[in-house]
Amino acid sequence: MQREDLFAAMGRSIIDGEADAAADLARRAVADGIDPLQAIDEGFVPGIDHVGREFALENMFLPELVLAGEAMKAAIGVLEPEMQRTGAEREIHGTVVLAAAHGDIHDIGKSLVGTMLSASGFRVVDLGVDVPVATVVEKAREVEADLVGISALLTTTMPGQRDVVEALTAAGLRGAVKVMVGGAPVTPEWASEIGADGFGEDAARAVSLARELVGT
Amino acid sequence: MQPRIDLLTDDLVRRVLDEAFALLRDHGVKVQAPEAVDLLVAAGATADDDVVHMPEPVVRDALATVPHVFHLHDLRGEPTVTYGGDAVQFDPGSSGVRVLDPETLEHRPSTTADLTRLVKVAEMLPELDAQSTAVVCDEIPKDIGDLWRLYVVLEYSARPIVTGAFSIQTLHTMIDMAAVQSGGREALARKPRAVFDVCPSPPLIWSAFGARNLIELARAGVPAEMVSMPLAGAAAPVTLLGSIVQHAAECLSGIAIHQLARPGSPIVWGGAPAIFDMRKGTTPMGAVETAMIDAGYAQVGRSLGLPTHAYLGASDAKVVDAQAGLESGITATIGALAGIDMISGAGMLDFLACQSAEKLVVDAEAIAMVKRLLAGVEARTETLALELFEGIAFKGEFLKQRATKDLFALEQHLPSRVIDRDSTRGWLQSGGLDTWTRAKERTAVLLEAYERPELDPAHEAELRDLVERAAKDAGVDPVPELAPA
């Protein structure tokens, strides 16, 4: 297959949300000796960019966004080891640890944020839901996180966001780690009250916030 | 004959239940409280860690002991609310975190003053059948937030109450609080004043708190109202029927746990599902599909002879505008036609996050319309019409007939001033006001007319004492005072 056709097919696999096809195309690129970084940047990323744009225009919808994110993960899953092998490096904007606050089991928004962040070049470690504060801090330390994102969808679990900020400070990590918070009842005022660095309105805005916070 | 809609054929109801039982048996339900797992296993379920597989007979046995009818009582012990009868009843939506400020239109965090105002207005609306702990009070420490809301409602209302606890510890305090005015826990169990909402977590999970909540409520004999909330396309199957199956599986498993803890305790087949909006990632309570899921699951619950509940009559609008009116009105109508025993949601905006006393006043008009619809058409005269034509002689003078004078008040519900039926000239002369403004005026009138129910001072002192002790146990000091009425 011609390179241009391959790249077009890669983009298409993301737009169509076909994770298996994306992984296959990624493997094909490796077999053909194509630079994995180029495959990502010229093949797959245009697909996720298209989906993001169309989603913002309300021409594409959440299921498509989520499946596109899954397809992207599948492609990167094949290409990242190849990049490590060849010593090429993908430009990672930063490492983000995500978690739903202690006691909170809401997952959907946070997962969407993770998908969007990872698709846009962040390394994402998603700790899931109902995450104890200590676990967040430990993981942030372990992966040398640049950013921690905590979501809370209940007023009763929002204090957990404050707890994370305080625990990061107590652990001496606050200087290196920025904190963003989100979730339906969360407001910019609350974010500022608890000393968080930013408030993520929704998954798309979380990405621009994250980039702003890590300085890219 | 009460008007009814049935969205599901009998065959679909059967298939929903078949698949719900299959899910319980094969897929299993996560039950995160060991005590609940033990109850289920002892009854014949199998557990793989916290995933419990329930054979159908275990669940059917539990279903057999659920009361088909129970009542909630008012302050005087009258059974004013019936679950499992023909009546469709309404209460304000519960657990809002903000109120719509009527002057600034701001959504601000709700306080005790806001909850008090809501309770007073609700108390003055005969269209509502029960109170709820409508909002969380922001200035109150979260550890006692649930019992504080109940305290406020008990202090200002004589009506039955729909509430819920946020922890097992506070649940016990709240049951004791509800029992004070009834005369103790046993009296409360015989004549419950309150029903407690308890939520499974979608999909198919009973959290440690949820499962324990079921057990404690069953043992106390206080009615439990399951609020299963499949989010179609996000936390539940995207299809309406798929979500109805999930709802059935969650409620059936909840009933199994509950009845095993104490057979014969009352429990409600209830919920707050929604579709998931695929553009905004929100959970629209005002969507017609939301109402359809509710109507569907209510039909399934009714087929089992169970009392039902749902969250309808609410809107996702942020102000009391046309969207608020149409979403609340249409979904309340669907819920009522589905024969749901208790419909929660009146007063709510913004996906159940925001309460509004003024919207409650508008919603009361929709509820009145809906209740009139359910009252149906009755033959009030011996002949339907023939006798009424005697002497009419082709003149439209039915106004002069005795029958018109005698019967108009039975045939026609009289809306409040919130509904404008004036001529244009009359409307202009009255100020040319819109619904929102008329609702604000009526809210003020209702607040002015509100009179606090007479409460036994000894009971009040006991209530206060319970609240204070719970607060101190939670490390809350000083304990907030309730403002004088």
Side-chain angles (χ1 to χ4, degrees):
Chain A
M1 201 194 265
Q2 290 279 44
R3 190 165 288 220
E4 294 70 42
D5 293 335
L6 188 57
F7 288 162
M10 287 171 173
R12 185 93 252 144
S13 74
I14 302 299
I15 293 167
D16 292 345
E18 299 283 352
D20 288 344
D24 284 343
L25 289 163
R27 278 187 281 270
R28 169 76 144 277
V30 171
D32 288 356
I34 294 173
D35 174 14
L37 213 53
Q38 198 187 8
I40 291 179
D41 287 341
E42 293 183 40
F44 294 107
V45 167
I48 199 94
D49 282 349
H50 173 87
V51 175
R53 271 194 311 271
E54 289 298 294
F55 177 72
L57 289 171
E58 293 189 3
N59 293 331
M60 289 184 86
F61 303 90
L62 280 171
E64 294 163 290
L65 188 64
V66 167
L67 285 176
E70 293 297 300
M72 197 68 191
K73 260 194 242 169
I76 292 181
V78 169
L79 294 170
E80 204 142 65
E82 186 60 20
M83 286 190 290
Q84 275 166 11
R85 202 182 61 78
T86 62
E89 254 191 43
R90 186 179 178 218
E91 185 201 338
I92 297 284
H93 298 309
T95 300
V96 185
V97 170
L98 290 182
H102 180 45
D104 201 310
I105 53 161
H106 295 93
D107 189 61
I108 295 160
K110 175 191 62 60
S111 295
L112 271 173
V113 169
T115 299
M116 299 294 281
L117 283 174
S118 107
S120 74
F122 282 87
R123 180 179 161 222
V124 175
V125 179
D126 188 339
L127 292 171
V129 298
D130 188 14
V131 184
V133 173
T135 308
V136 175
V137 174
E138 264 328 291
K139 190 55 90 173
R141 192 202 302 276
E142 180 198 321
V143 303
E144 293 177 20
D146 301 287
L147 184 52
V148 162
I150 306 290
S151 73
L153 260 89
L154 304 171
T155 48
T156 41
T157 55
M158 277 164 69
Q161 293 172 323
R162 188 209 313 261
D163 293 343
V164 168
V165 175
E166 289 179 355
L168 286 169
T169 308
L173 293 172
R174 194 73 182 89
V177 181
K178 298 277 200 298
V179 178
M180 62 179 184
V181 291
V186 176
T187 59
E189 292 72 37
W190 169 254
S192 140
E193 188 188 318
I194 64 170
D197 298 290
F199 158 72
E201 175 78 45
D202 56 31
R205 271 171 274 199
V207 173
S208 35
L209 172 65
R211 295 185 66 152
E212 201 186 299
L213 289 178
V214 302
T216 52
Chain B
M1 185 192 73
Q2 191 157 304
R4 169 94 81 224
I5 50 164
D6 285 325
L7 291 181
L8 309 185
T9 58
D10 287 345
D11 189 60
L12 276 177
V13 172
R14 188 191 50 77
R15 288 181 66 187
V16 165
L17 285 170
D18 281 349
E19 290 202 17
F21 282 117
L23 276 175
L24 294 184
R25 185 190 59 232
D26 304 329
H27 179 279
V29 173
K30 208 169 246 210
V31 179
Q32 295 173 321
E35 191 186 351
V37 175
D38 290 345
L39 282 171
L40 291 164
V41 167
T46 54
D48 197 349
D49 257 342
D50 59 2
V51 176
V52 180
H53 298 269
M54 301 182 205
E56 184 170 337
V58 172
V59 184
R60 288 280 181 194
D61 283 348
L63 280 171
T65 52
V66 176
H68 290 241
V69 181
F70 70 90
H71 302 280
L72 293 183
H73 301 75
D74 66 7
L75 179 61
R76 285 163 272 285
E78 294 304 314
T80 58
V81 164
T82 304
Y83 276 84
D86 286 334
V88 171
Q89 294 145 129
F90 292 82
D91 74 306
S94 180
S95 301
V97 295
R98 292 185 280 277
V99 285
L100 175 69
D101 186 296
E103 295 318 310
T104 64
L105 298 186
E106 188 202 341
H107 288 212
R108 53 176 176 71
S110 41
T111 61
T112 301
D114 295 315
L115 176 57
T116 308
R117 189 171 186 269
L118 281 161
V119 172
K120 289 179 178 180
V121 170
E123 195 78 357
M124 296 301 291
L125 290 169
E127 296 84 357
L128 296 172
D129 301 279
Q131 291 275 3
S132 78
T133 38
V135 289
V136 173
C137 304
D138 186 59
E139 83 283 17
I140 298 298
K142 308 229 179 287
D143 285 336
I144 56 164
D146 52 2
L147 63 96
W148 181 264
R149 310 178 300 170
L150 181 60
Y151 179 43
V152 175
V153 180
L154 286 168
E155 283 284 305
Y156 290 101
S157 171
R159 294 206 178 165
I161 303 166
V162 179
T163 184
F166 299 155
S167 81
I168 293 298
Q169 191 142 339
T170 45
L171 172 67
H172 281 292
T173 306
M174 289 173 78
I175 293 175
D176 286 333
M177 287 166 68
V180 166
Q181 288 155 337
S182 307
R185 279 202 177 210
E186 271 189 46
L188 178 69
R190 273 195 312 270
K191 289 185 158 192
R193 174 91 188 269
V195 61
F196 282 73
D197 286 349
V198 48
C199 309
S201 313
L204 302 175
I205 300 171
W206 281 99
S207 67
F209 172 55
R212 291 184 63 205
N213 207 345
L214 283 173
I215 292 172
E216 296 304 313
L217 286 168
R219 292 197 176 136
V222 170
E225 184 163 82
M226 292 180 289
V227 183
S228 157
M229 47 188 89
L231 298 180
V238 70
T239 57
L240 306 187
L241 280 169
S243 280
I244 291 169
V245 171
Q246 180 172 315
H247 178 277
E250 288 180 2
C251 286
L252 287 169
S253 55
I255 286 170
I257 296 169
H258 183 265
Q259 294 294 296
L260 283 169
R262 202 181 109 166
S265 272
I267 185 163
V268 181
W269 184 270
I275 54 166
F276 197 69
D277 186 279
M278 298 304 181
R279 292 154 308 168
K280 298 296 186 186
T282 50
T283 54
M285 299 308 297
V288 70
E289 298 85 356
T290 293
M292 290 167 75
I293 295 173
D294 289 3
Y297 84 59
Q299 198 180 341
V300 174
R302 262 209 327 278
S303 79
L304 296 170
L306 300 172
T308 55
H309 157 271
Y311 257 84
L312 289 169
S315 170
D316 311 308
K318 315 304 181 276
V319 288
V320 183
D321 59 5
Q323 176 180 342
L326 71 91
E327 286 185 337
S328 306
I330 291 177
T331 58
T333 306
I334 294 173
L337 288 172
I340 296 171
D341 293 306
M342 180 63 73
I343 298 178
S344 305
M348 287 191 128
L349 297 160
D350 191 21
F351 313 98
L352 308 183
C354 181
Q355 259 288 7
S356 160
E358 289 73 17
K359 179 173 186 280
L360 208 51
V361 165
V362 175
D363 288 344
E365 298 300 326
I367 292 170
M369 286 174 70
V370 157
K371 287 185 169 182
R372 177 62 189 90
L373 172 66
L374 290 184
V377 176
E378 268 192 56
R380 304 208 192 265
T381 48
E382 234 180 87
T383 60
L384 298 182
L386 296 178
E387 68 205 69
L388 301 174
F389 279 90
E390 281 169 26
I392 279 299
F394 301 98
K395 291 196 274 246
E397 290 182 336
F398 292 89
L399 260 179
K400 290 185 183 173
Q401 277 187 346
R402 179 137 226 118
T404 304
K405 173 175 169 301
D406 290 342
L407 298 174
F408 84 91
L410 286 177
E411 283 290 75
Q412 298 178 8
H413 157 68
L414 284 178
S416 78
R417 284 168 184 275
V418 167
I419 299 296
D420 161 58
R421 289 188 180 170
D422 211 339
S423 64
T424 307
R425 184 183 42 79
W427 174 74
L428 283 169
Q429 274 177 353
S430 306
L433 306 176
D434 65 0
T435 313
W436 169 242
T437 312
R438 295 194 302 267
K440 283 200 288 181
E441 290 187 346
R442 178 154 161 79
T443 303
V445 165
L446 292 175
L447 282 166
E448 185 63 29
Y450 167 85
E451 266 173 34
R452 195 152 172 240
E454 261 184 62
L455 301 168
D456 183 329
H459 288 166
E460 277 199 80
E462 209 185 318
L463 252 182
R464 175 77 198 167
D465 190 57
L466 275 168
V467 172
E468 283 188 355
R469 272 191 280 130
K472 295 210 169 114
D473 281 346
V476 175
D477 204 3
V479 182
E481 288 286 338
L482 259 190

PDB file of all heavy atoms in Angstrom, chain B residues 412-433:
ATOM      1  N   GLN B 412     -64.614  20.345  36.506  1.00  0.00           N
ATOM      2  CA  GLN B 412     -63.476  21.197  36.153  1.00  0.00           C
ATOM      3  C   GLN B 412     -62.588  21.461  37.358  1.00  0.00           C
ATOM      4  O   GLN B 412     -63.032  21.955  38.383  1.00  0.00           O
ATOM      5  CB  GLN B 412     -63.963  22.558  35.651  1.00  0.00           C
ATOM      6  CG  GLN B 412     -64.801  22.504  34.402  1.00  0.00           C
ATOM      7  CD  GLN B 412     -65.281  23.896  34.005  1.00  0.00           C
ATOM      8  OE1 GLN B 412     -64.868  24.900  34.590  1.00  0.00           O
ATOM      9  NE2 GLN B 412     -66.155  23.961  33.009  1.00  0.00           N
ATOM     10  N   HIS B 413     -61.327  21.208  37.191  1.00  0.00           N
ATOM     11  CA  HIS B 413     -60.344  21.634  38.185  1.00  0.00           C
ATOM     12  C   HIS B 413     -60.116  23.131  38.019  1.00  0.00           C
ATOM     13  O   HIS B 413     -60.040  23.619  36.887  1.00  0.00           O
ATOM     14  CB  HIS B 413     -59.039  20.862  37.964  1.00  0.00           C
ATOM     15  CG  HIS B 413     -57.835  21.563  38.529  1.00  0.00           C
ATOM     16  ND1 HIS B 413     -57.643  21.715  39.895  1.00  0.00           N
ATOM     17  CD2 HIS B 413     -56.794  22.179  37.933  1.00  0.00           C
ATOM     18  CE1 HIS B 413     -56.522  22.384  40.085  1.00  0.00           C
ATOM     19  NE2 HIS B 413     -55.987  22.666  38.930  1.00  0.00           N
ATOM     20  N   LEU B 414     -60.028  23.839  39.096  1.00  0.00           N
ATOM     21  CA  LEU B 414     -59.770  25.281  39.029  1.00  0.00           C
ATOM     22  C   LEU B 414     -58.294  25.562  39.281  1.00  0.00           C
ATOM     23  O   LEU B 414     -57.828  25.449  40.416  1.00  0.00           O
ATOM     24  CB  LEU B 414     -60.596  26.016  40.089  1.00  0.00           C
ATOM     25  CG  LEU B 414     -62.083  26.203  39.808  1.00  0.00           C
ATOM     26  CD1 LEU B 414     -62.747  26.906  40.979  1.00  0.00           C
ATOM     27  CD2 LEU B 414     -62.283  27.030  38.539  1.00  0.00           C
ATOM     28  N   PRO B 415     -57.553  25.924  38.227  1.00  0.00           N
ATOM     29  CA  PRO B 415     -56.142  26.229  38.472  1.00  0.00           C
ATOM     30  C   PRO B 415     -55.983  27.510  39.285  1.00  0.00           C
ATOM     31  O   PRO B 415     -56.914  28.316  39.372  1.00  0.00           O
ATOM     32  CB  PRO B 415     -55.562  26.413  37.062  1.00  0.00           C
ATOM     33  CG  PRO B 415     -56.657  26.220  36.102  1.00  0.00           C
ATOM     34  CD  PRO B 415     -57.947  26.128  36.840  1.00  0.00           C
ATOM     35  N   SER B 416     -54.806  27.688  39.843  1.00  0.00           N
ATOM     36  CA  SER B 416     -54.511  28.933  40.556  1.00  0.00           C
ATOM     37  C   SER B 416     -54.203  30.029  39.533  1.00  0.00           C
ATOM     38  O   SER B 416     -54.168  29.785  38.323  1.00  0.00           O
ATOM     39  CB  SER B 416     -53.311  28.737  41.474  1.00  0.00           C
ATOM     40  OG  SER B 416     -52.114  28.777  40.708  1.00  0.00           O
ATOM     41  N   ARG B 417     -53.912  31.213  40.048  1.00  0.00           N
ATOM     42  CA  ARG B 417     -53.579  32.343  39.181  1.00  0.00           C
ATOM     43  C   ARG B 417     -52.323  32.119  38.352  1.00  0.00           C
ATOM     44  O   ARG B 417     -52.052  32.869  37.414  1.00  0.00           O
ATOM     45  CB  ARG B 417     -53.296  33.576  40.033  1.00  0.00           C
ATOM     46  CG  ARG B 417     -54.515  34.231  40.594  1.00  0.00           C
ATOM     47  CD  ARG B 417     -54.063  35.247  41.667  1.00  0.00           C
ATOM     48  NE  ARG B 417     -55.211  35.853  42.318  1.00  0.00           N
ATOM     49  CZ  ARG B 417     -55.868  36.900  41.847  1.00  0.00           C
ATOM     50  NH1 ARG B 417     -55.478  37.482  40.743  1.00  0.00           N
ATOM     51  NH2 ARG B 417     -56.920  37.383  42.476  1.00  0.00           N
ATOM     52  N   VAL B 418     -51.544  31.119  38.697  1.00  0.00           N
ATOM     53  CA  VAL B 418     -50.335  30.834  37.925  1.00  0.00           C
ATOM     54  C   VAL B 418     -50.702  30.503  36.481  1.00  0.00           C
ATOM     55  O   VAL B 418     -49.945  30.783  35.553  1.00  0.00           O
ATOM     56  CB  VAL B 418     -49.546  29.674  38.583  1.00  0.00           C
ATOM     57  CG1 VAL B 418     -48.465  29.141  37.668  1.00  0.00           C
ATOM     58  CG2 VAL B 418     -48.935  30.155  39.896  1.00  0.00           C
ATOM     59  N   ILE B 419     -51.872  29.915  36.300  1.00  0.00           N
ATOM     60  CA  ILE B 419     -52.361  29.636  34.951  1.00  0.00           C
ATOM     61  C   ILE B 419     -53.263  30.796  34.537  1.00  0.00           C
ATOM     62  O   ILE B 419     -54.267  31.084  35.202  1.00  0.00           O
ATOM     63  CB  ILE B 419     -53.156  28.306  34.916  1.00  0.00           C
ATOM     64  CG1 ILE B 419     -52.266  27.136  35.331  1.00  0.00           C
ATOM     65  CG2 ILE B 419     -53.773  28.086  33.542  1.00  0.00           C
ATOM     66  CD1 ILE B 419     -51.100  26.855  34.398  1.00  0.00           C
ATOM     67  N   ASP B 420     -52.875  31.467  33.464  1.00  0.00           N
ATOM     68  CA  ASP B 420     -53.643  32.624  33.017  1.00  0.00           C
ATOM     69  C   ASP B 420     -54.702  32.202  32.003  1.00  0.00           C
ATOM     70  O   ASP B 420     -54.383  31.620  30.974  1.00  0.00           O
ATOM     71  CB  ASP B 420     -52.690  33.637  32.371  1.00  0.00           C
ATOM     72  CG  ASP B 420     -53.427  34.625  31.488  1.00  0.00           C
ATOM     73  OD1 ASP B 420     -54.321  35.314  32.013  1.00  0.00           O
ATOM     74  OD2 ASP B 420     -53.131  34.693  30.281  1.00  0.00           O
ATOM     75  N   ARG B 421     -55.961  32.529  32.345  1.00  0.00           N
ATOM     76  CA  ARG B 421     -57.043  32.246  31.388  1.00  0.00           C
ATOM     77  C   ARG B 421     -57.855  33.492  31.112  1.00  0.00           C
ATOM     78  O   ARG B 421     -59.006  33.424  30.673  1.00  0.00           O
ATOM     79  CB  ARG B 421     -57.953  31.164  31.956  1.00  0.00           C
ATOM     80  CG  ARG B 421     -57.287  29.799  31.976  1.00  0.00           C
ATOM     81  CD  ARG B 421     -58.268  28.751  32.361  1.00  0.00           C
ATOM     82  NE  ARG B 421     -57.664  27.424  32.387  1.00  0.00           N
ATOM     83  CZ  ARG B 421     -58.269  26.363  32.886  1.00  0.00           C
ATOM     84  NH1 ARG B 421     -59.483  26.471  33.409  1.00  0.00           N
ATOM     85  NH2 ARG B 421     -57.665  25.187  32.869  1.00  0.00           N
ATOM     86  N   ASP B 422     -57.274  34.618  31.399  1.00  0.00           N
ATOM     87  CA  ASP B 422     -57.967  35.882  31.248  1.00  0.00           C
ATOM     88  C   ASP B 422     -58.053  36.262  29.777  1.00  0.00           C
ATOM     89  O   ASP B 422     -57.402  35.663  28.929  1.00  0.00           O
ATOM     90  CB  ASP B 422     -57.175  36.957  32.022  1.00  0.00           C
ATOM     91  CG  ASP B 422     -58.041  38.051  32.576  1.00  0.00           C
ATOM     92  OD1 ASP B 422     -59.171  38.244  32.061  1.00  0.00           O
ATOM     93  OD2 ASP B 422     -57.582  38.735  33.508  1.00  0.00           O
ATOM     94  N   SER B 423     -58.829  37.284  29.483  1.00  0.00           N
ATOM     95  CA  SER B 423     -58.792  37.880  28.154  1.00  0.00           C
ATOM     96  C   SER B 423     -57.475  38.642  28.045  1.00  0.00           C
ATOM     97  O   SER B 423     -56.830  38.924  29.064  1.00  0.00           O
ATOM     98  CB  SER B 423     -59.957  38.848  27.982  1.00  0.00           C
ATOM     99  OG  SER B 423     -59.780  39.922  28.913  1.00  0.00           O
ATOM    100  N   THR B 424     -57.100  38.983  26.820  1.00  0.00           N
ATOM    101  CA  THR B 424     -55.856  39.752  26.659  1.00  0.00           C
ATOM    102  C   THR B 424     -55.938  41.071  27.398  1.00  0.00           C
ATOM    103  O   THR B 424     -55.001  41.495  28.067  1.00  0.00           O
ATOM    104  CB  THR B 424     -55.566  39.992  25.169  1.00  0.00           C
ATOM    105  OG1 THR B 424     -55.589  38.745  24.489  1.00  0.00           O
ATOM    106  CG2 THR B 424     -54.208  40.644  24.974  1.00  0.00           C
ATOM    107  N   ARG B 425     -57.086  41.727  27.295  1.00  0.00           N
ATOM    108  CA  ARG B 425     -57.274  43.015  27.974  1.00  0.00           C
ATOM    109  C   ARG B 425     -57.088  42.831  29.480  1.00  0.00           C
ATOM    110  O   ARG B 425     -56.390  43.582  30.135  1.00  0.00           O
ATOM    111  CB  ARG B 425     -58.657  43.564  27.646  1.00  0.00           C
ATOM    112  CG  ARG B 425     -58.919  44.939  28.220  1.00  0.00           C
ATOM    113  CD  ARG B 425     -60.344  45.422  27.931  1.00  0.00           C
ATOM    114  NE  ARG B 425     -61.334  44.363  28.101  1.00  0.00           N
ATOM    115  CZ  ARG B 425     -61.813  43.963  29.273  1.00  0.00           C
ATOM    116  NH1 ARG B 425     -61.383  44.532  30.399  1.00  0.00           N
ATOM    117  NH2 ARG B 425     -62.709  42.999  29.324  1.00  0.00           N
ATOM    118  N   GLY B 426     -57.736  41.786  30.011  1.00  0.00           N
ATOM    119  CA  GLY B 426     -57.637  41.523  31.455  1.00  0.00           C
ATOM    120  C   GLY B 426     -56.206  41.215  31.858  1.00  0.00           C
ATOM    121  O   GLY B 426     -55.709  41.680  32.885  1.00  0.00           O
ATOM    122  N   TRP B 427     -55.538  40.421  31.015  1.00  0.00           N
ATOM    123  CA  TRP B 427     -54.153  40.068  31.302  1.00  0.00           C
ATOM    124  C   TRP B 427     -53.285  41.313  31.325  1.00  0.00           C
ATOM    125  O   TRP B 427     -52.455  41.501  32.237  1.00  0.00           O
ATOM    126  CB  TRP B 427     -53.679  39.052  30.251  1.00  0.00           C
ATOM    127  CG  TRP B 427     -52.233  38.704  30.329  1.00  0.00           C
ATOM    128  CD1 TRP B 427     -51.619  37.929  31.253  1.00  0.00           C
ATOM    129  CD2 TRP B 427     -51.215  39.148  29.427  1.00  0.00           C
ATOM    130  NE1 TRP B 427     -50.277  37.848  31.001  1.00  0.00           N
ATOM    131  CE2 TRP B 427     -50.001  38.585  29.878  1.00  0.00           C
ATOM    132  CE3 TRP B 427     -51.206  39.957  28.266  1.00  0.00           C
ATOM    133  CZ2 TRP B 427     -48.785  38.806  29.219  1.00  0.00           C
ATOM    134  CZ3 TRP B 427     -49.999  40.175  27.617  1.00  0.00           C
ATOM    135  CH2 TRP B 427     -48.790  39.598  28.100  1.00  0.00           C
ATOM    136  N   LEU B 428     -53.494  42.188  30.360  1.00  0.00           N
ATOM    137  CA  LEU B 428     -52.710  43.423  30.315  1.00  0.00           C
ATOM    138  C   LEU B 428     -52.995  44.298  31.528  1.00  0.00           C
ATOM    139  O   LEU B 428     -52.099  44.865  32.145  1.00  0.00           O
ATOM    140  CB  LEU B 428     -53.004  44.201  29.027  1.00  0.00           C
ATOM    141  CG  LEU B 428     -52.337  43.644  27.772  1.00  0.00           C
ATOM    142  CD1 LEU B 428     -52.910  44.315  26.523  1.00  0.00           C
ATOM    143  CD2 LEU B 428     -50.812  43.842  27.827  1.00  0.00           C
ATOM    144  N   GLN B 429     -54.279  44.368  31.869  1.00  0.00           N
ATOM    145  CA  GLN B 429     -54.643  45.204  33.018  1.00  0.00           C
ATOM    146  C   GLN B 429     -54.020  44.690  34.308  1.00  0.00           C
ATOM    147  O   GLN B 429     -53.713  45.460  35.215  1.00  0.00           O
ATOM    148  CB  GLN B 429     -56.163  45.264  33.179  1.00  0.00           C
ATOM    149  CG  GLN B 429     -56.770  46.357  32.339  1.00  0.00           C
ATOM    150  CD  GLN B 429     -58.276  46.365  32.449  1.00  0.00           C
ATOM    151  OE1 GLN B 429     -58.875  45.472  33.064  1.00  0.00           O
ATOM    152  NE2 GLN B 429     -58.896  47.367  31.862  1.00  0.00           N
ATOM    153  N   SER B 430     -53.822  43.375  34.392  1.00  0.00           N
ATOM    154  CA  SER B 430     -53.196  42.800  35.596  1.00  0.00           C
ATOM    155  C   SER B 430     -51.685  42.904  35.566  1.00  0.00           C
ATOM    156  O   SER B 430     -50.995  42.392  36.444  1.00  0.00           O
ATOM    157  CB  SER B 430     -53.584  41.326  35.747  1.00  0.00           C
ATOM    158  OG  SER B 430     -54.967  41.181  35.727  1.00  0.00           O
ATOM    159  N   GLY B 431     -51.185  43.558  34.525  1.00  0.00           N
ATOM    160  CA  GLY B 431     -49.736  43.758  34.484  1.00  0.00           C
ATOM    161  C   GLY B 431     -49.038  43.037  33.356  1.00  0.00           C
ATOM    162  O   GLY B 431     -47.834  43.177  33.175  1.00  0.00           O
ATOM    163  N   GLY B 432     -49.804  42.239  32.597  1.00  0.00           N
ATOM    164  CA  GLY B 432     -49.166  41.513  31.480  1.00  0.00           C
ATOM    165  C   GLY B 432     -48.045  40.612  31.963  1.00  0.00           C
ATOM    166  O   GLY B 432     -46.983  40.518  31.345  1.00  0.00           O
ATOM    167  N   LEU B 433     -48.281  39.900  33.062  1.00  0.00           N
ATOM    168  CA  LEU B 433     -47.217  39.108  33.686  1.00  0.00           C
ATOM    169  C   LEU B 433     -47.072  37.739  33.045  1.00  0.00           C
ATOM    170  O   LEU B 433     -48.045  37.150  32.609  1.00  0.00           O
ATOM    171  CB  LEU B 433     -47.526  38.905  35.172  1.00  0.00           C
ATOM    172  CG  LEU B 433     -47.788  40.184  35.976  1.00  0.00           C
ATOM    173  CD1 LEU B 433     -48.184  39.810  37.402  1.00  0.00           C
ATOM    174  CD2 LEU B 433     -46.572  41.090  35.958  1.00  0.00           C
TER     175      LEU B 433
END
